[in-house]
Amino acid sequence: MIKKEMIAMLLAGGQGSRLGVLTSKMAKPAVSFGGKYRIIDFPLSNCINSGIDTVGVLTQYQPLRLNTHIGIGIPWDLDRNIGGVTVLPPYEKSENSEWYTGTANAIYQNIDYMETYNPDYVLILSGDHIYKMDYEVMLDYHKANNAEVTIAVMPVPMEEAKRFGIMIADENGKITEFEEKPEHPRSNLASMGIYIFNWKTLKEALITMADQPALDFGKHVIPYCHKNGAPLYAYEFNGYWKDVGTLESYWQANMELIDIVPEFNLYEEYWKIYTKSDTLPPQYFSNDSVIERSIVGEGSEIYGKVYNSVIGCGVVIEKDAVVRDSIIMNETHIGSGTECNKAIIAESVTIGSGCSIGVGHEAENETSPKIYNSGLVTIGEKTDIPDGVTVGKNTVIFGHTEASDYENGRLDSGRTLVKAGDWE
């Protein structure tokens, strides 16, 4: 029988609805980040850098882009005969079939996969966080404490604590109480959604709790283990960690990469972030181009001006165009004389010449103010915007749009323009 000390199970099925049109056709972990990467590259790179060579990736929502990106795991050195990376979508079973209904239900449905490796420990990860962590150090902590469950935690501001699962631990790190999103938190140690379980403990908990609807780690499995006396420990992490689950946090995390001394450094030799890279020509900057404090991906051609922005691969920014404080994803084309301010522009978008994007006063978005806010303009993938259009703040555009879709050539702040058929 194959034997692995620790395997990782990476939950990557999330729809990421708070990212709006960015995730209309792909799962959140497949969204571009930092010019050349995708969000899932970070936990996958952490695994191989931590010496974990067996990773199950659980997919569900719009998995095509994610599956294509992961492939057989070559960029992360996870193309192994024994172990490596395995994509685990929900599948038909003879007696009953179901989607993954909760984080722990997804793991439960893959007990057979985990059993194959007869692991001592199982590491549970989320596919949509940006951070660097050595899981081997966390495993050493788990062993040293004779823990059955170790939960990675980080201190958060007390006023934000009610958004998280909160641990109350003694001076040795042993968890005495666990509260899922408490109204009045008594601690600020928030669960990061990263767990190490002894395999026996996890298996027994999953099988016992299998009938719970939407079986979840925070609501069901952790409280079950705690109630049954399994030693639970909190592993405190003090590095950079970002949940890029909202457009504002996604934009912010990208902008932090271009700080003069970035808090999150993509250039460290000893902890590389790996990704699937296409073979692209080098960047081209024309004589008249200006690039300040920006990341520019391979194969991009810059003829205009770029300030404080993250530009993906294969992007063309025409002459006299100005891009400020924006994220422009792969293969997007920005026409001459167009100005983009504080925009998130998805892949393969075409913006015509002489447009003004992200101008005027802020107004609340008319359809989804909780998603489209912070003064951002969000443009979904493969969108076309005609020449000479003015677009306000807190706006969203998705689909093939024409001049007649813009009243007097304008989309005022707070407006939504989504063409039927482009959003499912």
PDB file of all heavy atoms in Angstrom, residues 336-361:
ATOM      1  N   SER A 336      -6.256  54.095 -28.260  1.00  0.00           N
ATOM      2  CA  SER A 336      -5.476  55.335 -28.134  1.00  0.00           C
ATOM      3  C   SER A 336      -6.312  56.430 -27.481  1.00  0.00           C
ATOM      4  O   SER A 336      -7.517  56.541 -27.714  1.00  0.00           O
ATOM      5  CB  SER A 336      -4.991  55.788 -29.512  1.00  0.00           C
ATOM      6  OG  SER A 336      -6.099  55.964 -30.361  1.00  0.00           O
ATOM      7  N   GLY A 337      -5.640  57.222 -26.637  1.00  0.00           N
ATOM      8  CA  GLY A 337      -6.306  58.365 -26.011  1.00  0.00           C
ATOM      9  C   GLY A 337      -7.305  58.010 -24.931  1.00  0.00           C
ATOM     10  O   GLY A 337      -7.990  58.879 -24.402  1.00  0.00           O
ATOM     11  N   THR A 338      -7.405  56.733 -24.589  1.00  0.00           N
ATOM     12  CA  THR A 338      -8.352  56.317 -23.537  1.00  0.00           C
ATOM     13  C   THR A 338      -7.704  56.471 -22.165  1.00  0.00           C
ATOM     14  O   THR A 338      -6.515  56.240 -21.999  1.00  0.00           O
ATOM     15  CB  THR A 338      -8.799  54.858 -23.777  1.00  0.00           C
ATOM     16  OG1 THR A 338      -9.752  54.857 -24.846  1.00  0.00           O
ATOM     17  CG2 THR A 338      -9.431  54.232 -22.544  1.00  0.00           C
ATOM     18  N   GLU A 339      -8.516  56.870 -21.201  1.00  0.00           N
ATOM     19  CA  GLU A 339      -8.018  57.045 -19.836  1.00  0.00           C
ATOM     20  C   GLU A 339      -8.751  56.071 -18.915  1.00  0.00           C
ATOM     21  O   GLU A 339      -9.983  56.003 -18.926  1.00  0.00           O
ATOM     22  CB  GLU A 339      -8.304  58.488 -19.393  1.00  0.00           C
ATOM     23  CG  GLU A 339      -7.685  58.854 -18.078  1.00  0.00           C
ATOM     24  CD  GLU A 339      -8.065  60.280 -17.667  1.00  0.00           C
ATOM     25  OE1 GLU A 339      -8.294  61.126 -18.557  1.00  0.00           O
ATOM     26  OE2 GLU A 339      -8.133  60.513 -16.456  1.00  0.00           O
ATOM     27  N   CYS A 340      -8.000  55.267 -18.132  1.00  0.00           N
ATOM     28  CA  CYS A 340      -8.595  54.312 -17.177  1.00  0.00           C
ATOM     29  C   CYS A 340      -8.141  54.667 -15.777  1.00  0.00           C
ATOM     30  O   CYS A 340      -6.940  54.721 -15.518  1.00  0.00           O
ATOM     31  CB  CYS A 340      -8.127  52.882 -17.472  1.00  0.00           C
ATOM     32  SG  CYS A 340      -8.807  52.196 -18.964  1.00  0.00           S
ATOM     33  N   ASN A 341      -9.084  54.879 -14.866  1.00  0.00           N
ATOM     34  CA  ASN A 341      -8.765  55.200 -13.477  1.00  0.00           C
ATOM     35  C   ASN A 341      -9.421  54.184 -12.548  1.00  0.00           C
ATOM     36  O   ASN A 341     -10.626  53.956 -12.636  1.00  0.00           O
ATOM     37  CB  ASN A 341      -9.315  56.587 -13.108  1.00  0.00           C
ATOM     38  CG  ASN A 341      -8.715  57.664 -13.976  1.00  0.00           C
ATOM     39  OD1 ASN A 341      -7.531  57.938 -13.902  1.00  0.00           O
ATOM     40  ND2 ASN A 341      -9.536  58.278 -14.829  1.00  0.00           N
ATOM     41  N   LYS A 342      -8.615  53.575 -11.674  1.00  0.00           N
ATOM     42  CA  LYS A 342      -9.125  52.660 -10.652  1.00  0.00           C
ATOM     43  C   LYS A 342     -10.136  51.675 -11.232  1.00  0.00           C
ATOM     44  O   LYS A 342     -11.286  51.599 -10.797  1.00  0.00           O
ATOM     45  CB  LYS A 342      -9.742  53.448  -9.487  1.00  0.00           C
ATOM     46  CG  LYS A 342      -9.694  52.635  -8.181  1.00  0.00           C
ATOM     47  CD  LYS A 342     -10.213  53.409  -6.987  1.00  0.00           C
ATOM     48  CE  LYS A 342     -10.220  52.529  -5.750  1.00  0.00           C
ATOM     49  NZ  LYS A 342     -10.842  53.132  -4.590  1.00  0.00           N
ATOM     50  N   ALA A 343      -9.660  50.917 -12.224  1.00  0.00           N
ATOM     51  CA  ALA A 343     -10.524  49.930 -12.879  1.00  0.00           C
ATOM     52  C   ALA A 343      -9.962  48.528 -12.696  1.00  0.00           C
ATOM     53  O   ALA A 343      -8.754  48.339 -12.580  1.00  0.00           O
ATOM     54  CB  ALA A 343     -10.632  50.262 -14.370  1.00  0.00           C
ATOM     55  N   ILE A 344     -10.858  47.555 -12.651  1.00  0.00           N
ATOM     56  CA  ILE A 344     -10.461  46.144 -12.730  1.00  0.00           C
ATOM     57  C   ILE A 344     -11.019  45.644 -14.057  1.00  0.00           C
ATOM     58  O   ILE A 344     -12.244  45.552 -14.237  1.00  0.00           O
ATOM     59  CB  ILE A 344     -11.044  45.311 -11.563  1.00  0.00           C
ATOM     60  CG1 ILE A 344     -10.550  45.845 -10.214  1.00  0.00           C
ATOM     61  CG2 ILE A 344     -10.669  43.848 -11.718  1.00  0.00           C
ATOM     62  CD1 ILE A 344     -11.180  45.141  -9.003  1.00  0.00           C
ATOM     63  N   ILE A 345     -10.116  45.365 -14.988  1.00  0.00           N
ATOM     64  CA  ILE A 345     -10.532  44.995 -16.337  1.00  0.00           C
ATOM     65  C   ILE A 345     -10.109  43.545 -16.585  1.00  0.00           C
ATOM     66  O   ILE A 345      -8.923  43.218 -16.535  1.00  0.00           O
ATOM     67  CB  ILE A 345      -9.916  45.954 -17.382  1.00  0.00           C
ATOM     68  CG1 ILE A 345     -10.369  47.395 -17.074  1.00  0.00           C
ATOM     69  CG2 ILE A 345     -10.315  45.543 -18.792  1.00  0.00           C
ATOM     70  CD1 ILE A 345      -9.767  48.459 -17.945  1.00  0.00           C
ATOM     71  N   ALA A 346     -11.082  42.676 -16.810  1.00  0.00           N
ATOM     72  CA  ALA A 346     -10.824  41.236 -16.924  1.00  0.00           C
ATOM     73  C   ALA A 346     -10.148  40.898 -18.255  1.00  0.00           C
ATOM     74  O   ALA A 346      -9.777  41.781 -19.031  1.00  0.00           O
ATOM     75  CB  ALA A 346     -12.121  40.463 -16.758  1.00  0.00           C
ATOM     76  N   GLU A 347      -9.991  39.600 -18.518  1.00  0.00           N
ATOM     77  CA  GLU A 347      -9.219  39.138 -19.676  1.00  0.00           C
ATOM     78  C   GLU A 347      -9.959  39.376 -20.996  1.00  0.00           C
ATOM     79  O   GLU A 347     -11.181  39.349 -21.052  1.00  0.00           O
ATOM     80  CB  GLU A 347      -8.907  37.643 -19.507  1.00  0.00           C
ATOM     81  CG  GLU A 347      -8.058  37.379 -18.276  1.00  0.00           C
ATOM     82  CD  GLU A 347      -7.778  35.898 -18.033  1.00  0.00           C
ATOM     83  OE1 GLU A 347      -7.641  35.156 -19.011  1.00  0.00           O
ATOM     84  OE2 GLU A 347      -7.690  35.507 -16.860  1.00  0.00           O
ATOM     85  N   SER A 348      -9.161  39.612 -22.042  1.00  0.00           N
ATOM     86  CA  SER A 348      -9.665  39.700 -23.430  1.00  0.00           C
ATOM     87  C   SER A 348     -10.744  40.763 -23.605  1.00  0.00           C
ATOM     88  O   SER A 348     -11.726  40.560 -24.319  1.00  0.00           O
ATOM     89  CB  SER A 348     -10.193  38.339 -23.890  1.00  0.00           C
ATOM     90  OG  SER A 348      -9.192  37.352 -23.752  1.00  0.00           O
ATOM     91  N   VAL A 349     -10.584  41.890 -22.932  1.00  0.00           N
ATOM     92  CA  VAL A 349     -11.511  43.028 -23.086  1.00  0.00           C
ATOM     93  C   VAL A 349     -10.958  43.958 -24.156  1.00  0.00           C
ATOM     94  O   VAL A 349      -9.750  44.123 -24.289  1.00  0.00           O
ATOM     95  CB  VAL A 349     -11.663  43.781 -21.737  1.00  0.00           C
ATOM     96  CG1 VAL A 349     -12.395  45.107 -21.908  1.00  0.00           C
ATOM     97  CG2 VAL A 349     -12.376  42.900 -20.722  1.00  0.00           C
ATOM     98  N   THR A 350     -11.841  44.579 -24.949  1.00  0.00           N
ATOM     99  CA  THR A 350     -11.425  45.591 -25.925  1.00  0.00           C
ATOM    100  C   THR A 350     -12.106  46.906 -25.570  1.00  0.00           C
ATOM    101  O   THR A 350     -13.345  46.973 -25.534  1.00  0.00           O
ATOM    102  CB  THR A 350     -11.824  45.172 -27.353  1.00  0.00           C
ATOM    103  OG1 THR A 350     -11.267  43.885 -27.624  1.00  0.00           O
ATOM    104  CG2 THR A 350     -11.303  46.166 -28.372  1.00  0.00           C
ATOM    105  N   ILE A 351     -11.297  47.923 -25.274  1.00  0.00           N
ATOM    106  CA  ILE A 351     -11.838  49.269 -25.000  1.00  0.00           C
ATOM    107  C   ILE A 351     -11.405  50.164 -26.151  1.00  0.00           C
ATOM    108  O   ILE A 351     -10.224  50.206 -26.510  1.00  0.00           O
ATOM    109  CB  ILE A 351     -11.321  49.812 -23.658  1.00  0.00           C
ATOM    110  CG1 ILE A 351     -11.774  48.886 -22.515  1.00  0.00           C
ATOM    111  CG2 ILE A 351     -11.807  51.237 -23.415  1.00  0.00           C
ATOM    112  CD1 ILE A 351     -11.313  49.297 -21.128  1.00  0.00           C
ATOM    113  N   GLY A 352     -12.363  50.857 -26.736  1.00  0.00           N
ATOM    114  CA  GLY A 352     -12.091  51.690 -27.917  1.00  0.00           C
ATOM    115  C   GLY A 352     -11.209  52.902 -27.616  1.00  0.00           C
ATOM    116  O   GLY A 352     -10.688  53.057 -26.503  1.00  0.00           O
ATOM    117  N   SER A 353     -11.077  53.765 -28.598  1.00  0.00           N
ATOM    118  CA  SER A 353     -10.241  54.968 -28.466  1.00  0.00           C
ATOM    119  C   SER A 353     -11.038  56.100 -27.821  1.00  0.00           C
ATOM    120  O   SER A 353     -12.266  56.164 -27.939  1.00  0.00           O
ATOM    121  CB  SER A 353      -9.762  55.419 -29.843  1.00  0.00           C
ATOM    122  OG  SER A 353      -9.061  54.369 -30.457  1.00  0.00           O
ATOM    123  N   GLY A 354     -10.325  57.002 -27.149  1.00  0.00           N
ATOM    124  CA  GLY A 354     -10.934  58.229 -26.631  1.00  0.00           C
ATOM    125  C   GLY A 354     -11.976  58.015 -25.553  1.00  0.00           C
ATOM    126  O   GLY A 354     -12.877  58.840 -25.377  1.00  0.00           O
ATOM    127  N   CYS A 355     -11.872  56.922 -24.803  1.00  0.00           N
ATOM    128  CA  CYS A 355     -12.833  56.670 -23.710  1.00  0.00           C
ATOM    129  C   CYS A 355     -12.303  57.245 -22.398  1.00  0.00           C
ATOM    130  O   CYS A 355     -11.093  57.390 -22.220  1.00  0.00           O
ATOM    131  CB  CYS A 355     -13.065  55.172 -23.528  1.00  0.00           C
ATOM    132  SG  CYS A 355     -13.823  54.363 -24.944  1.00  0.00           S
ATOM    133  N   SER A 356     -13.222  57.559 -21.486  1.00  0.00           N
ATOM    134  CA  SER A 356     -12.846  57.982 -20.129  1.00  0.00           C
ATOM    135  C   SER A 356     -13.498  57.007 -19.161  1.00  0.00           C
ATOM    136  O   SER A 356     -14.725  56.985 -19.042  1.00  0.00           O
ATOM    137  CB  SER A 356     -13.339  59.398 -19.840  1.00  0.00           C
ATOM    138  OG  SER A 356     -12.688  60.306 -20.698  1.00  0.00           O
ATOM    139  N   ILE A 357     -12.674  56.199 -18.486  1.00  0.00           N
ATOM    140  CA  ILE A 357     -13.190  55.147 -17.598  1.00  0.00           C
ATOM    141  C   ILE A 357     -12.871  55.512 -16.150  1.00  0.00           C
ATOM    142  O   ILE A 357     -11.723  55.794 -15.813  1.00  0.00           O
ATOM    143  CB  ILE A 357     -12.518  53.784 -17.926  1.00  0.00           C
ATOM    144  CG1 ILE A 357     -12.582  53.466 -19.425  1.00  0.00           C
ATOM    145  CG2 ILE A 357     -13.092  52.661 -17.060  1.00  0.00           C
ATOM    146  CD1 ILE A 357     -13.931  53.107 -19.962  1.00  0.00           C
ATOM    147  N   GLY A 358     -13.898  55.518 -15.297  1.00  0.00           N
ATOM    148  CA  GLY A 358     -13.691  55.790 -13.867  1.00  0.00           C
ATOM    149  C   GLY A 358     -13.575  57.261 -13.558  1.00  0.00           C
ATOM    150  O   GLY A 358     -12.659  57.676 -12.843  1.00  0.00           O
ATOM    151  N   VAL A 359     -14.503  58.061 -14.074  1.00  0.00           N
ATOM    152  CA  VAL A 359     -14.453  59.516 -13.853  1.00  0.00           C
ATOM    153  C   VAL A 359     -15.747  59.988 -13.187  1.00  0.00           C
ATOM    154  O   VAL A 359     -16.730  59.265 -13.131  1.00  0.00           O
ATOM    155  CB  VAL A 359     -14.245  60.276 -15.193  1.00  0.00           C
ATOM    156  CG1 VAL A 359     -12.871  59.972 -15.761  1.00  0.00           C
ATOM    157  CG2 VAL A 359     -15.326  59.929 -16.211  1.00  0.00           C
ATOM    158  N   GLY A 360     -15.728  61.219 -12.691  1.00  0.00           N
ATOM    159  CA  GLY A 360     -16.934  61.820 -12.110  1.00  0.00           C
ATOM    160  C   GLY A 360     -17.095  61.499 -10.634  1.00  0.00           C
ATOM    161  O   GLY A 360     -16.196  60.966  -9.983  1.00  0.00           O
ATOM    162  N   HIS A 361     -18.275  61.843 -10.107  1.00  0.00           N
ATOM    163  CA  HIS A 361     -18.571  61.637  -8.680  1.00  0.00           C
ATOM    164  C   HIS A 361     -18.965  60.193  -8.433  1.00  0.00           C
ATOM    165  O   HIS A 361     -19.482  59.517  -9.309  1.00  0.00           O
ATOM    166  CB  HIS A 361     -19.714  62.553  -8.236  1.00  0.00           C
ATOM    167  CG  HIS A 361     -19.368  64.014  -8.374  1.00  0.00           C
ATOM    168  ND1 HIS A 361     -18.366  64.602  -7.636  1.00  0.00           N
ATOM    169  CD2 HIS A 361     -19.884  64.984  -9.178  1.00  0.00           C
ATOM    170  CE1 HIS A 361     -18.275  65.888  -7.976  1.00  0.00           C
ATOM    171  NE2 HIS A 361     -19.183  66.134  -8.907  1.00  0.00           N
TER     172      HIS A 361
END
